[in-house]
Amino acid sequence: MLILHCPNCDVTAEESEFHAGGEAHLKRFGPGASDADLEGYLFMRQNPKGVHFERWRHNNGCGKWFHVARCTTSLEVFGSYAAQTFAPPEELLKEIEAKRPGWSKKEQSA
């Protein structure tokens, strides 16, 4: 079971109190977008073996969205941060790099 921390209301709880919302940091397309852009947004997702950035909602708490960095193989949670950010915080990326030498965000987005 995952233990997640909501950065909005500062609550740490089991994953059953939260709801997963898929991959974080996706570029969303609005009216006037090309069919290829819309198709990419709707259907093309990363499914990495390793570190992944995800959106979660604190269903049984504040109800707000936030992002989580976790490993898909070990279920290790590296940290959480506000959903209003466009990229993971540098200190979180450094922590992941310290625990997983050779890992980098660039490798995951390729």
Side-chain angles (χ1 to χ4, degrees):
M1 170 136 330
L2 295 175
I3 303 295
L4 300 173
H5 176 79
C6 177
N8 300 306
C9 62
D10 203 32
V11 169
T12 301
E14 295 178 350
E15 68 181 293
S16 59
E17 187 166 318
F18 302 93
H19 178 75
E23 186 176 343
H25 306 295
L26 294 174
K27 181 177 180 187
R28 288 156 175 81
F29 294 93
S34 71
D35 288 344
D37 286 342
L38 189 58
E39 176 190 17
Y41 167 70
L42 291 174
F43 302 111
M44 306 311 279
R45 296 286 192 264
Q46 293 184 24
N47 188 17
K49 182 178 180 181
V51 180
H52 188 53
F53 296 91
E54 303 170 326
R55 293 169 28 100
W56 286 80
R57 183 173 181 265
H58 193 178
N59 272 359
N60 298 339
C62 64
K64 295 182 180 178
W65 288 92
F66 60 98
H67 293 162
V68 171
R70 74 173 184 96
C71 179
T72 58
T73 55
S74 68
L75 299 182
E76 178 182 5
V77 175
F78 296 102
S80 59
Y81 52 99
Q84 292 75 23
T85 60
F86 293 107
E90 284 299 317
E91 55 272 4
L92 181 59
L93 294 176
K94 288 177 184 173
E95 180 184 335
I96 295 169
E97 180 68 31
K99 290 183 178 181
R100 304 281 165 97
W103 178 89
S104 74
K105 179 76 172 96
K106 283 183 182 178
E107 291 172 2
Q108 293 299 312
S109 62

